[in-house]
Amino acid sequence: MRKLHILFAAIAVLLSDIMCFVVAYNYRDMLCGIEHAGFSAPASTAFIYAVPFLIGIAICVVLSIRFYKKSK
């Protein structure tokens, strides 16, 4: 159980890093599209991409805590 606790904690950290990259990339792409390609949506719509990552991070944190408590 101890290894599963560490594994899910590491996955949560990895997902948070990937989420930051994806959201920042899409936000920059939206800003460029608004300025040069005539996009009509606001740049803040790029934050919608964070929702699935946040759900995955929450699940990993809950599982990590659960496995940590079971290992004690």
Side-chain angles (χ1 to χ4, degrees), residues 38-59:
F39 289 2
S40 61
S44 61
T45 58
F47 291 106
I48 293 174
Y49 288 104
V51 173
F53 286 106
L54 292 174
I55 292 169
I57 291 167
I59 290 170

Side-chain angles (χ1 to χ4, degrees), residues 11-28:
I11 291 172
V13 170
L14 183 66
L15 278 175
S16 70
D17 292 344
I18 294 170
M19 177 190 68
C20 290
F21 171 76
V22 168
V23 171
Y25 178 81
N26 286 320
Y27 187 81
R28 184 212 44 93

Side-chain angles (χ1 to χ4, degrees), residues 50-67:
V51 173
F53 286 106
L54 292 174
I55 292 169
I57 291 167
I59 290 170
C60 287
V61 167
V62 167
L63 288 174
S64 178
I65 291 170
R66 177 172 267 178
F67 288 133

